C-alpha cells in the first residue's frame, strides 16, 4: 500500500513539474517572439538560404528541391526556441519571464524596439522596470546571457547549415 501511495505521489509531482516546465517554456517562447529574437533568427535563416542558393548556383538545384530544403525552417526554429528556453531557465524564474512578457506587451515595451519611439512616459515605465528585481536580473545577467546566446547561435546555425548541405547532397547536389 505504501508503494502505491509513493508511486502515486511521484507521478503527481512529476506531472506537476512537467506542466510547470512546459508553462515556463511557453512563456519564454512568447517572450522571445515579443522581443524580436525569433524574427532575427528567421532573417538569419533566410540569409542562409540565399547564401546556399548562391553557393549552389552552378549545380542548378531546382526550385522543388529548394522548397524541400526550406521546409526544415519550422523545425529549426522550434529547436532554437528550445535551446533559448534552456538559457533563460539558467538565468530567470518563471515569474521573471512573466514580468518580461507584461513589459513587452505594454506600449513602452513595444516602443522600446522601435527607433525613436520612446516617449517620456515610456522611459519612466522602462526605468521602473529595470529597477525591479527582474530588471536587475536582466542587467546583471547580460554578459552571461550574451555568452550563452552566442554559443546557441553558433551551434544552431552550424547545425542548420550542415543539415541543409546534407539534404542537398542526399538529393545529388554537391559543390
Amino acid at each position: 500500500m505504501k508503494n502505491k501511495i509513493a508511486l502515486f505521489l511521484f507521478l503527481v509531482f512529476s506531472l506537476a513539474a512537467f506542466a510547470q516546465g512546459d508553462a515556463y517554456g511557453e512563456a519564454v517562447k512568447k517572450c522571445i517572439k515579443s522581443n524580436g529574437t525569433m524574427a532575427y533568427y528567421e532573417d538569419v535563416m533566410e540569409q542562409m538560404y540565399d547564401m546556399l542558393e548562391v553557393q549552389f548556383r552552378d549545380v542548378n538545384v531546382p526550385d522543388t528541391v529548394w522548397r524541400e530544403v526550406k521546409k526544415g525552417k519550422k523545425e529549426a526554429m522550434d529547436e532554437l526556441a528550445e535551446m533559448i528556453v534552456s538559457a533563460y531557465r539558467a538565468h530567470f524564474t518563471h515569474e521573471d519571464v512573466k514580468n518580461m512578457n507584461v513589459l513587452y506587451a505594454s506600449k513602452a515595451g513595444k516602443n522600446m524596439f522601435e527607433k525613436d519611439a520612446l516617449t517620456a512616459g515610456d522611459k519612466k515605465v522602462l526605468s521602473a522596470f529595470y529597477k525591479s528585481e527582474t530588471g536587475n536580473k536582466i542587467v546583471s545577467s547580460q554578459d552571461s546571457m550574451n555568452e550563452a546566446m552566442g554559443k546557441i547561435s553558433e551551434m544552431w546555425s552550424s547545425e542548420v547549415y550542415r543539415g541543409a548541405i546534407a539534404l542537398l547532397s542526399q538529393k545529388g547536389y554537391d559543390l
Side-chain angles (χ1 to χ4, degrees), residues 51-116:
M51 180 186 70
L52 283 168
E53 288 185 34
V54 168
Q55 288 176 334
F56 281 80
R57 184 171 288 140
D58 293 339
V59 293
N60 298 316
V61 178
D63 289 343
T64 56
V65 173
W66 286 120
R67 281 192 292 276
E68 188 174 342
V69 168
K70 292 176 182 182
K71 282 183 183 177
K73 182 177 180 178
K74 180 179 179 351
E75 183 180 334
M77 295 303 294
D78 290 345
E79 288 174 11
L80 174 65
E82 291 302 324
M83 295 168 85
I84 295 172
V85 167
S86 175
Y88 269 67
R89 195 177 307 277
H91 293 86
F92 306 110
T93 66
H94 194 181
E95 196 60 35
D96 292 328
V97 176
K98 288 178 184 178
N99 292 338
M100 290 178 214
N101 282 329
V102 168
L103 174 68
Y104 296 148
S106 72
K107 178 183 167 289
K110 289 176 184 173
N111 288 346
M112 178 170 60
F113 300 110
E114 300 296 323
K115 186 179 182 195
D116 301 326

Side-chain angles (χ1 to χ4, degrees), residues 123-144:
K123 290 176 184 178
K124 286 181 184 179
V125 169
L126 293 173
S127 178
F129 176 82
Y130 282 102
K131 289 178 184 174
S132 72
E133 184 178 338
T134 299
N136 283 320
K137 279 186 185 178
I138 292 170
V139 171
S140 67
S141 67
Q142 195 166 13
D143 290 341
S144 178

Side-chain angles (χ1 to χ4, degrees), residues 41 148-160 162:
Y41 282 101
M149 289 301 296
K151 288 177 183 176
I152 287 169
S153 182
E154 184 179 329
M155 186 179 358
W156 173 79
S157 61
S158 67
E159 183 180 311
V160 170
R162 282 193 310 267

